[in-house]
PDB file of all heavy atoms in Angstrom:
ATOM      1  N   TYR A 123       8.619  29.745  35.879  1.00  0.00           N
ATOM      2  CA  TYR A 123       8.925  31.165  35.690  1.00  0.00           C
ATOM      3  C   TYR A 123       8.397  32.065  36.807  1.00  0.00           C
ATOM      4  O   TYR A 123       8.996  33.090  37.100  1.00  0.00           O
ATOM      5  CB  TYR A 123       8.351  31.650  34.353  1.00  0.00           C
ATOM      6  CG  TYR A 123       8.867  30.881  33.166  1.00  0.00           C
ATOM      7  CD1 TYR A 123       8.014  30.064  32.421  1.00  0.00           C
ATOM      8  CD2 TYR A 123      10.195  30.960  32.786  1.00  0.00           C
ATOM      9  CE1 TYR A 123       8.471  29.361  31.325  1.00  0.00           C
ATOM     10  CE2 TYR A 123      10.665  30.258  31.687  1.00  0.00           C
ATOM     11  CZ  TYR A 123       9.796  29.460  30.962  1.00  0.00           C
ATOM     12  OH  TYR A 123      10.260  28.770  29.878  1.00  0.00           O
ATOM     13  N   ASP A 131       6.834  36.498  25.662  1.00  0.00           N
ATOM     14  CA  ASP A 131       6.005  35.399  25.171  1.00  0.00           C
ATOM     15  C   ASP A 131       6.848  34.383  24.421  1.00  0.00           C
ATOM     16  O   ASP A 131       6.539  33.184  24.422  1.00  0.00           O
ATOM     17  CB  ASP A 131       4.912  35.932  24.235  1.00  0.00           C
ATOM     18  CG  ASP A 131       3.775  36.608  24.992  1.00  0.00           C
ATOM     19  OD1 ASP A 131       3.801  36.583  26.240  1.00  0.00           O
ATOM     20  OD2 ASP A 131       2.873  37.145  24.337  1.00  0.00           O
ATOM     21  N   THR A 132       7.894  34.837  23.775  1.00  0.00           N
ATOM     22  CA  THR A 132       8.748  33.947  22.996  1.00  0.00           C
ATOM     23  C   THR A 132       9.384  32.892  23.882  1.00  0.00           C
ATOM     24  O   THR A 132       9.507  31.727  23.492  1.00  0.00           O
ATOM     25  CB  THR A 132       9.848  34.750  22.277  1.00  0.00           C
ATOM     26  OG1 THR A 132       9.241  35.733  21.440  1.00  0.00           O
ATOM     27  CG2 THR A 132      10.714  33.836  21.431  1.00  0.00           C
ATOM     28  N   VAL A 133       9.782  33.273  25.082  1.00  0.00           N
ATOM     29  CA  VAL A 133      10.399  32.322  26.015  1.00  0.00           C
ATOM     30  C   VAL A 133       9.404  31.238  26.397  1.00  0.00           C
ATOM     31  O   VAL A 133       9.714  30.039  26.377  1.00  0.00           O
ATOM     32  CB  VAL A 133      10.903  33.057  27.277  1.00  0.00           C
ATOM     33  CG1 VAL A 133      11.423  32.052  28.307  1.00  0.00           C
ATOM     34  CG2 VAL A 133      11.997  34.046  26.907  1.00  0.00           C
ATOM     35  N   ILE A 134       8.182  31.660  26.735  1.00  0.00           N
ATOM     36  CA  ILE A 134       7.162  30.684  27.128  1.00  0.00           C
ATOM     37  C   ILE A 134       6.770  29.819  25.938  1.00  0.00           C
ATOM     38  O   ILE A 134       6.603  28.599  26.070  1.00  0.00           O
ATOM     39  CB  ILE A 134       5.924  31.398  27.693  1.00  0.00           C
ATOM     40  CG1 ILE A 134       6.309  32.301  28.870  1.00  0.00           C
ATOM     41  CG2 ILE A 134       4.872  30.381  28.132  1.00  0.00           C
ATOM     42  CD1 ILE A 134       5.151  33.075  29.457  1.00  0.00           C
ATOM     43  N   ARG A 135       6.610  30.430  24.773  1.00  0.00           N
ATOM     44  CA  ARG A 135       6.223  29.679  23.582  1.00  0.00           C
ATOM     45  C   ARG A 135       7.269  28.630  23.214  1.00  0.00           C
ATOM     46  O   ARG A 135       6.933  27.505  22.824  1.00  0.00           O
ATOM     47  CB  ARG A 135       6.004  30.642  22.417  1.00  0.00           C
ATOM     48  CG  ARG A 135       5.394  29.979  21.182  1.00  0.00           C
ATOM     49  CD  ARG A 135       5.193  30.988  20.059  1.00  0.00           C
ATOM     50  NE  ARG A 135       4.259  32.050  20.431  1.00  0.00           N
ATOM     51  CZ  ARG A 135       4.630  33.299  20.693  1.00  0.00           C
ATOM     52  NH1 ARG A 135       5.905  33.658  20.624  1.00  0.00           N
ATOM     53  NH2 ARG A 135       3.719  34.211  21.017  1.00  0.00           N
ATOM     54  N   THR A 136       8.532  28.985  23.348  1.00  0.00           N
ATOM     55  CA  THR A 136       9.607  28.025  23.060  1.00  0.00           C
ATOM     56  C   THR A 136       9.542  26.843  24.008  1.00  0.00           C
ATOM     57  O   THR A 136       9.731  25.691  23.607  1.00  0.00           O
ATOM     58  CB  THR A 136      10.975  28.716  23.171  1.00  0.00           C
ATOM     59  OG1 THR A 136      11.051  29.780  22.212  1.00  0.00           O
ATOM     60  CG2 THR A 136      12.104  27.730  22.904  1.00  0.00           C
ATOM     61  N   HIS A 137       9.258  27.127  25.261  1.00  0.00           N
ATOM     62  CA  HIS A 137       9.136  26.039  26.232  1.00  0.00           C
ATOM     63  C   HIS A 137       7.985  25.107  25.878  1.00  0.00           C
ATOM     64  O   HIS A 137       8.125  23.882  25.924  1.00  0.00           O
ATOM     65  CB  HIS A 137       8.919  26.603  27.635  1.00  0.00           C
ATOM     66  CG  HIS A 137       8.536  25.574  28.642  1.00  0.00           C
ATOM     67  ND1 HIS A 137       9.407  24.601  29.092  1.00  0.00           N
ATOM     68  CD2 HIS A 137       7.344  25.326  29.278  1.00  0.00           C
ATOM     69  CE1 HIS A 137       8.792  23.811  29.957  1.00  0.00           C
ATOM     70  NE2 HIS A 137       7.537  24.230  30.087  1.00  0.00           N
ATOM     71  N   LEU A 138       6.846  25.699  25.505  1.00  0.00           N
ATOM     72  CA  LEU A 138       5.654  24.894  25.219  1.00  0.00           C
ATOM     73  C   LEU A 138       5.792  24.070  23.954  1.00  0.00           C
ATOM     74  O   LEU A 138       5.325  22.921  23.893  1.00  0.00           O
ATOM     75  CB  LEU A 138       4.429  25.808  25.102  1.00  0.00           C
ATOM     76  CG  LEU A 138       4.005  26.552  26.373  1.00  0.00           C
ATOM     77  CD1 LEU A 138       2.906  27.558  26.061  1.00  0.00           C
ATOM     78  CD2 LEU A 138       3.545  25.580  27.445  1.00  0.00           C
ATOM     79  N   THR A 139       6.414  24.629  22.931  1.00  0.00           N
ATOM     80  CA  THR A 139       6.454  23.964  21.620  1.00  0.00           C
ATOM     81  C   THR A 139       7.718  23.147  21.376  1.00  0.00           C
ATOM     82  O   THR A 139       7.698  22.217  20.566  1.00  0.00           O
ATOM     83  CB  THR A 139       6.323  25.006  20.500  1.00  0.00           C
ATOM     84  OG1 THR A 139       7.398  25.950  20.602  1.00  0.00           O
ATOM     85  CG2 THR A 139       4.994  25.747  20.598  1.00  0.00           C
ATOM     86  N   ILE A 140       8.811  23.476  22.066  1.00  0.00           N
ATOM     87  CA  ILE A 140      10.077  22.807  21.790  1.00  0.00           C
ATOM     88  C   ILE A 140      10.668  22.136  23.035  1.00  0.00           C
ATOM     89  O   ILE A 140      10.967  20.939  23.023  1.00  0.00           O
ATOM     90  CB  ILE A 140      11.109  23.809  21.212  1.00  0.00           C
ATOM     91  CG1 ILE A 140      10.586  24.430  19.923  1.00  0.00           C
ATOM     92  CG2 ILE A 140      12.446  23.100  20.948  1.00  0.00           C
ATOM     93  CD1 ILE A 140      11.493  25.490  19.334  1.00  0.00           C
ATOM     94  N   ASP A 141      10.831  22.922  24.102  1.00  0.00           N
ATOM     95  CA  ASP A 141      11.493  22.391  25.296  1.00  0.00           C
ATOM     96  C   ASP A 141      10.762  21.193  25.882  1.00  0.00           C
ATOM     97  O   ASP A 141      11.397  20.235  26.347  1.00  0.00           O
ATOM     98  CB  ASP A 141      11.620  23.489  26.361  1.00  0.00           C
ATOM     99  CG  ASP A 141      12.515  24.631  25.914  1.00  0.00           C
ATOM    100  OD1 ASP A 141      13.246  24.437  24.926  1.00  0.00           O
ATOM    101  OD2 ASP A 141      12.483  25.708  26.545  1.00  0.00           O
ATOM    102  N   ARG A 142       9.436  21.242  25.891  1.00  0.00           N
ATOM    103  CA  ARG A 142       8.679  20.112  26.449  1.00  0.00           C
ATOM    104  C   ARG A 142       8.957  18.832  25.673  1.00  0.00           C
ATOM    105  O   ARG A 142       9.133  17.760  26.256  1.00  0.00           O
ATOM    106  CB  ARG A 142       7.176  20.420  26.420  1.00  0.00           C
ATOM    107  CG  ARG A 142       6.703  21.346  27.535  1.00  0.00           C
ATOM    108  CD  ARG A 142       5.219  21.639  27.407  1.00  0.00           C
ATOM    109  NE  ARG A 142       4.430  20.418  27.417  1.00  0.00           N
ATOM    110  CZ  ARG A 142       3.946  19.833  28.518  1.00  0.00           C
ATOM    111  NH1 ARG A 142       4.182  20.384  29.693  1.00  0.00           N
ATOM    112  NH2 ARG A 142       3.225  18.731  28.447  1.00  0.00           N
ATOM    113  N   GLU A 143       9.007  18.937  24.360  1.00  0.00           N
ATOM    114  CA  GLU A 143       9.257  17.752  23.531  1.00  0.00           C
ATOM    115  C   GLU A 143      10.654  17.211  23.778  1.00  0.00           C
ATOM    116  O   GLU A 143      10.847  15.994  23.887  1.00  0.00           O
ATOM    117  CB  GLU A 143       9.072  18.089  22.060  1.00  0.00           C
ATOM    118  CG  GLU A 143       9.182  16.874  21.138  1.00  0.00           C
ATOM    119  CD  GLU A 143       8.818  17.197  19.707  1.00  0.00           C
ATOM    120  OE1 GLU A 143       8.875  18.383  19.331  1.00  0.00           O
ATOM    121  OE2 GLU A 143       8.464  16.255  18.970  1.00  0.00           O
ATOM    122  N   ALA A 155      -0.213  27.006  21.913  1.00  0.00           N
ATOM    123  CA  ALA A 155       0.719  27.691  22.812  1.00  0.00           C
ATOM    124  C   ALA A 155       0.313  29.143  23.014  1.00  0.00           C
ATOM    125  O   ALA A 155       0.362  29.661  24.135  1.00  0.00           O
ATOM    126  CB  ALA A 155       2.140  27.598  22.256  1.00  0.00           C
ATOM    127  N   ILE A 159      -0.682  30.840  26.606  1.00  0.00           N
ATOM    128  CA  ILE A 159      -0.005  32.032  27.121  1.00  0.00           C
ATOM    129  C   ILE A 159      -1.012  33.118  27.485  1.00  0.00           C
ATOM    130  O   ILE A 159      -0.947  33.722  28.557  1.00  0.00           O
ATOM    131  CB  ILE A 159       1.010  32.560  26.092  1.00  0.00           C
ATOM    132  CG1 ILE A 159       2.154  31.560  25.918  1.00  0.00           C
ATOM    133  CG2 ILE A 159       1.563  33.920  26.525  1.00  0.00           C
ATOM    134  CD1 ILE A 159       3.079  31.871  24.759  1.00  0.00           C
TER     135      ILE A 159
END
Side-chain angles (χ1 to χ4, degrees):
Y123 302 113
D131 284 356
T132 302
V133 175
I134 304 178
R135 189 180 298 107
T136 299
H137 169 69
L138 295 172
T139 59
I140 301 176
D141 296 345
R142 282 178 57 89
E143 186 172 22
I159 293 170

